[in-house]
Each structure stands twice: as structure tokens, then as C-alpha cells.
């Protein structure tokens, strides 16, 4: 085949194929539409037939378990490939220090914003809850393990009893530690490249499994939302509507003011990023679990041009240390209980509350029952606010968990892009192009 033939025959045909417009997928075949439909159907069933709706709970639980099943191997493979290909311990430490510094500053801002909003709006004022009206037994399951949360225990929990145990328990930080050590060891081996290639192929296989599992996301969202509405009912929101409003308002302020300013300072269009992650947000909204979106978030950030080493370190660690939505919730919930029980806190006591929350919130992801257990631990450490007061939150906690999970997801997405930018490990042109193309396609679909 000579050059003239290529120019006259092959090239025009190729250009014609490239220039042909891509066929737009029908809107009802997209994941975000199907998940949204599942959420709406779940809400409808919960209102119409609460008993049947509660029976749908296994659909939501099963979907979340399927996602959790693949989180550990995906984190392991991503981190091993990222760390092993870099092989620089100093760079690894630098990324870790920058990420932790970012986490601490931003979560502290989230705590402060929550404190300001709850102080201004006073959502707990007028409830006048007393020891006689509070159901102390209903919070016993949360208060007992809450007393066991300590910084030393949390740090020791990062080290697994065995390598296999880390994967068996599915502890994110334990898997992350094993993956970092494994990646560093591979980078020093003479034939480490072959192992890295193997880990990369295995990682692709697990991402393929994730794509299969995500086809069940509409059913998982339907089951979880149907159970939530059927179990607790929309009517439970009415007495605590002011509290819900404070949590939502604070989360919106945090995302569209704090995160917007951070993203803008680093050349990132926050709105386009949120639209780009719409599938992940809808999955979190339907399941009330930010873990359900963790594998998808890692893949999407890599597609945006983030280096594997940054994604593999920042996202998993962010799920324990960068819980912006949880920080907002904990501040507002603690102050709400104080206001509802007529417990007056001085400025110094509020400052102590923030310091305790800064410590206890970092362990919330490592303990089953997360938010409530951490809140119980905080109130126990404070000593002035009755722990039994969290019984007031039981009816709406499931709804507030959706808000805090959505905020956590947004916060970790921005954190990863920012740290990648600091490390010059972000392909900014690819980020801009991917966000622009996705935003245009989303606009056409609507």
C-alpha cells in the first residue's frame, strides 16, 4: 500500500468516520436517569405502602455489600501501581503530608461553619427535652462503643493483625497501608515491572466487575430509599425540619462557597466537576453511603488526569480523614442536643467541643455505626451535654446521612484534584477537556 493510495483512499474514509456525529444515547438508558427513577419509585412506594417498602431493604443492603466487596482490591491495585511506578519514598511522604494538611484545614473550616450556622438559627431551642422524655435505651448501642474511641486505638487499628485480615475485614486504611508497603517493595525489585503490570491488569478486571455491579445501582437505590421512607416516613422530618434545614444550608454553603473558592483558586470549575460526577452523587443519594461511590470516584478522577499515585493515596485516606459533611453534621448535632436539653455552653466549652470533634471525627469511618458513635463519643468526652439527647436525632439521621455523604464525596473529589495540582500530577488540559465535553453532553441530554 503506497503513500498515494493512503492519501487518496484511506485518509478520506477515516476522516469521514471521525467527523460523523456520535449518536446520542436515549436518556432512559443512562445510569443517572435509571438511578434517579429508582429513587423516585422508592419514595413513592415508601409513601403508598410503608410495610412493603421496608421489605425492599435487602436490595439496598445487597448493592452496598457488592460495592464493598470490591473496594479493597481496587484500592490495593490502584495504590500498588501508582506507588510502584513512582518508587520515591520522599514523594510519597510529601503527598501524604500535603493531603493530611489539606484535610485538617478544610474539615476545621467545616466544623466552624457548622458552629456558626447552628448558633445563629438555634434549631434545638424550644424543644425542652428532659431526662424523663429522652429514650436512653435507644442510644445504648451507640453510646457503649462510642466510649471506646481513642486516638491511640484508631492509629493501632490501621495496622492489621495479618495481611489477609486487612482484606477480610475490608478496612480501608489497613488495605492502604499494605498496598503502600507492597508498592514500595515492588519498586525496589529487579523484576518488579512484571508484578506491576500484573496488578494493573487485575485492577482493570476489578473495575470491570464494578461496571457490572453498577448496573444494579437503580435497584439498590430503589430498595434503600423505599426502606428509608417506609421506616421513618416523611412525617418524621416535620418536627426537626429546622435541624434538617441547618444541615442542608451549611452543607450548601460549604460546597458552593468553601469548595468553590478552593477549586477556583486551582483552575477547576466546581459546577462542571459536580455534573461530571452526577452518577456517583445519585448512587450516594440513593444508598446513603459514600462508600458506594468510592471505586467509581477513583476511576473518574483518573480519567480526569490525576496520577494513580495521588488518587490511590488521597481518596482512600480522605474517606477517613476528610469527612467534611460528617464534620458539619457532628457540630450541628452536638449543638442541637445542647440547645434541646437547655444545656448552656460557654465560648470556652464550644471551643473544647470543636477540638474534641477534630479528634473523634477522624475515627468515624473506622467504626461501624460511624456518625452516631462518634457523636456519642464526643458528648461523653465533653461531659456537659447528656449523651441520651442523641435519641432526638434517631428519626432523621438516615436523611441527614444522605446530605453528609454527598458533601463528603464532593470534598474528597476536590481534595484529590487540589493535591494532584500541588504535585504537578494533574493533566490540566485533560481535566478541562473532559469536564467541558461531559458538561456539553449533559446539557444536550437535558
Amino acid at each position: 500500500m503506497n503513500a498515494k493510495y493512503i492519501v487518496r483512499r484511506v485518509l478520506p474514509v477515516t476522516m469521514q468516520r471521525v467527523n460523523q456525529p456520535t449518536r446520542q444515547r436515549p436518556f432512559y438508558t443512562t445510569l443517572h436517569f435509571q438511578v434517579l427513577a429508582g429513587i423516585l419509585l422508592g419514595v413513592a412506594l415508601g409513601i403508598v405502602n410503608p410495610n412493603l417498602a421496608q421489605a425492599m431493604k435487602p436490595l439496598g443492603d445487597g448493592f452496598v455489600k457488592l460495592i464493598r466487596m470490591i473496594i479493597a482490591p481496587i484500592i490495593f491495585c490502584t495504590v500498588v501501581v501508582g506507588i510502584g511506578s513512582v518508587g520515591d519514598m520522599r514523594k510519597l511522604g510529601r503527598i501524604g503530608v500535603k493531603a493530611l494538611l489539606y484535610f485538617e484545614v478544610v474539615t476545621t473550616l467545616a466544623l466552624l461553619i457548622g458552629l456558626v450556622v447552628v448558633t445563629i438559627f438555634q434549631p434545638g431551642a424550644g424543644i425542652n427535652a428532659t431526662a424523663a422524655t429522652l429514650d436512653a435505651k435507644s442510644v445504648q448501642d451507640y453510646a457503649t462503643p462510642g466510649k471506646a474511641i481513642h486516638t491511640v486505638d484508631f492509629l493501632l487499628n490501621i495496622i492489621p493483625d495479618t495481611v489477609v485480615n486487612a482484606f477480610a475485614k475490608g478496612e480501608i486504611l489497613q488495605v492502604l497501608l499494605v498496598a503502600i508497603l507492597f508498592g514500595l517493595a515492588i519498586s525496589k525489585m529487579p523484576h518488579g515491572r512484571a508484578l506491576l503490570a500484573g496488578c494493573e491488569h487485575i485492577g482493570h478486571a476489578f473495575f470491570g466487575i464494578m461496571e457490572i455491579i453498577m448496573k444494579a445501582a437503580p435497584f439498590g437505590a430503589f430498595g434503600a430509599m423505599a426502606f428509608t421512607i417506609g421506616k421513618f416516613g416523611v412525617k418524621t422530618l416535620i418536627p426537626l425540619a429546622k435541624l434538617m434545614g441547618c444541615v442542608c444550608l451549611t452543607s450548601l454553603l460549604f460546597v458552593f462557597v468553601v469548595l468553590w473558592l478552593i477549586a477556583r483558586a486551582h483552575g477547576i470549575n466546581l459546577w462542571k466537576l459536580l455534573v461530571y460526577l452526577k452518577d456517583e452523587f445519585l448512587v450516594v443519594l440513593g444508598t446513603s453511603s459514600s462508600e458506594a461511590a468510592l471505586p467509581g470516584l477513583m476511576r473518574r478522577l483518573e480519567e480526569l488526569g490525576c496520577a494513580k499515585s495521588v488518587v490511590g493515596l488521597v481518596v482512600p485516606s480522605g474517606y477517613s480523614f476528610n469527612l467534611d459533611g460528617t464534620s458539619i453534621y457532628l457540630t450541628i448535632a452536638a449543638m442541637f442536643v445542647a440547645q434541646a436539653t437547655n444545656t448552656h455552653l460557654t465560648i470556652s466549652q464550644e471551643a473544647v467541643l470543636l477540638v474534641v470533634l477534630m479528634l473523634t471525627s477522624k475515627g468515624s469511618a473506622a467504626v461501624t455505626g460511624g456518625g452516631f458513635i462518634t457523636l456519642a463519643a464526643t458528648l461523653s468526652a465533653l461531659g456537659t451535654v447528656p449523651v441520651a439527647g442523641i435519641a432526638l436525632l434517631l428519626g432523621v439521621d438516615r436523611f441527614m446521612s444522605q446530605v453528609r455523604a454527598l458533601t463528603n464525596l464532593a470534598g474528597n473529589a476536590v481534595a484529590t484534584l487540589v493535591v494532584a495540582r500541588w504535585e504537578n500530577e494533574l493533566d490540566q488540559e485533560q481535566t478541562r477537556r473532559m469536564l467541558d465535553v461531559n458538561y456539553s453532553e449533559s446539557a444536550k441530554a437535558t
Side-chain angles (χ1 to χ4, degrees):
M1 186 180 294
N2 57 37
K4 290 183 179 180
Y5 181 83
I6 294 175
V7 172
R8 291 178 182 175
R9 299 289 180 87
V10 179
L11 188 58
V13 173
T14 304
M15 292 303 295
Q16 184 179 0
R17 289 175 180 172
V18 171
N19 292 327
Q20 284 179 348
T22 56
R23 295 182 62 185
Q24 187 71 36
R25 291 175 58 193
F27 71 93
Y28 53 83
T29 63
T30 59
L31 179 64
H32 60 270
F33 174 82
Q34 293 174 355
V35 172
L36 183 59
I39 292 172
L40 295 176
L41 288 173
V43 171
L45 181 61
I47 295 173
V48 174
N49 193 333
N51 292 329
L52 179 60
Q54 291 182 54
M56 298 296 108
K57 187 175 185 290
L59 290 176
D61 292 345
F63 175 73
V64 173
K65 287 186 71 174
L66 283 171
I67 292 292
R68 286 177 176 167
M69 175 184 73
I70 62 168
I71 285 177
I74 282 180
I75 290 176
F76 178 80
C77 293
T78 302
V79 174
V80 167
V81 173
I83 301 297
S85 58
V86 174
D88 189 345
M89 188 66 180
R90 286 176 298 179
K91 183 175 182 179
L92 172 63
R94 191 169 64 243
I95 293 173
V97 169
K98 288 180 178 179
L100 290 176
L101 178 63
Y102 175 93
F103 295 162
E104 194 56 51
V105 171
V106 176
T107 52
T108 301
L109 281 174
L111 290 169
L112 288 171
I113 293 173
L115 180 62
V116 170
V117 172
V118 76
T119 302
I120 292 173
F121 289 97
Q122 298 280 319
I127 294 179
N128 299 320
T130 62
T133 59
L134 295 174
D135 183 7
K137 292 182 180 179
S138 63
V139 301
Q140 192 65 34
D141 292 338
Y142 305 102
T144 302
K147 295 177 182 178
I149 299 177
H150 299 291
T151 303
V152 174
D153 294 334
F154 171 69
L155 293 175
L156 288 176
N157 188 59
I158 296 176
I159 306 172
D161 295 329
T162 64
V163 171
V164 176
N165 204 36
F167 292 90
K169 287 184 176 180
E171 293 279 1
I172 292 177
L173 292 182
Q174 291 184 359
V175 174
L176 182 61
L177 175 63
V178 174
I180 291 172
L181 295 175
F182 196 79
L184 288 172
I186 284 181
S187 67
K188 306 299 181 185
M189 294 172 60
H191 304 291
R193 289 292 171 184
L195 284 173
L196 280 178
C199 283
E200 189 165 14
H201 289 310
I202 293 172
H204 288 319
F206 277 105
F207 274 117
I209 294 173
M210 183 197 74
E211 291 179 1
I212 296 172
I213 293 173
M214 289 305 294
K215 294 183 184 301
F219 300 99
F222 165 75
M225 187 59 71
F227 168 76
T228 299
I229 301 297
K231 174 75 172 177
F232 302 104
V234 179
K235 63 180 182 295
T236 61
L237 302 180
I238 298 173
L240 299 178
K242 198 172 181 180
L243 171 64
M244 286 286 296
C246 281
V247 174
C248 292
L249 174 63
T250 310
S251 298
L252 288 172
L253 285 173
F254 178 80
V255 172
F256 291 105
V257 176
V258 176
L259 292 186
W260 180 82
L261 288 172
I262 293 173
R264 183 179 176 82
H266 293 84
I268 302 162
N269 188 309
L270 178 65
W271 179 249
K272 289 182 178 179
L273 175 63
L274 299 180
V275 173
Y276 176 76
L277 296 171
K278 58 183 177 297
D279 288 349
E280 285 70 29
F281 279 115
L282 284 173
V283 169
V284 169
L285 177 64
T287 60
S288 300
S289 171
S290 54
E291 273 191 347
L294 192 154
L297 177 63
M298 294 179 71
R299 169 165 251 185
R300 300 285 276 170
L301 290 173
E302 285 184 31
E303 291 172 354
L304 276 182
C306 286
K308 278 183 178 291
S309 56
V310 177
V311 172
L313 279 175
V314 179
V315 174
S317 57
Y319 266 65
S320 286
F321 297 103
N322 190 39
L323 303 174
D324 303 322
T326 303
S327 298
I328 290 170
Y329 163 77
L330 289 173
T331 308
I332 293 177
M335 290 298 295
F336 170 81
V337 172
Q339 294 166 4
T341 56
N342 296 317
T343 304
H344 177 70
L345 296 178
T346 63
I347 294 177
S348 60
Q349 287 175 322
E350 290 180 357
V352 172
L353 172 65
L354 287 178
V355 172
V356 174
L357 282 173
M358 286 172 60
L359 298 173
T360 56
S361 63
K362 300 300 180 286
S364 60
V367 184
T368 305
F372 253 48
I373 294 176
T374 303
L375 181 59
T378 302
L379 297 184
S380 297
L382 198 62
T384 54
V385 182
V387 179
I390 67 175
L392 297 168
L393 306 171
L394 286 173
V396 295
D397 181 68
R398 179 82 180 192
F399 297 97
M400 287 192 290
S401 70
Q402 295 171 325
V403 178
R404 62 180 182 252
L406 291 169
T407 309
N408 289 341
L409 180 62
N412 280 314
V414 172
T416 307
L417 291 170
V418 168
V419 175
R421 177 76 186 275
W422 288 347
E423 282 294 304
N424 293 319
E425 293 287 355
L426 178 66
D427 188 335
Q428 296 180 57
E429 179 59 30
Q430 182 175 338
T431 303
R432 184 193 61 78
R433 184 174 62 254
M434 290 288 291
L435 292 180
D436 287 346
V437 170
N438 178 80
Y439 187 74
S440 298
E441 291 178 351
S442 299
K444 290 178 182 177
T446 55

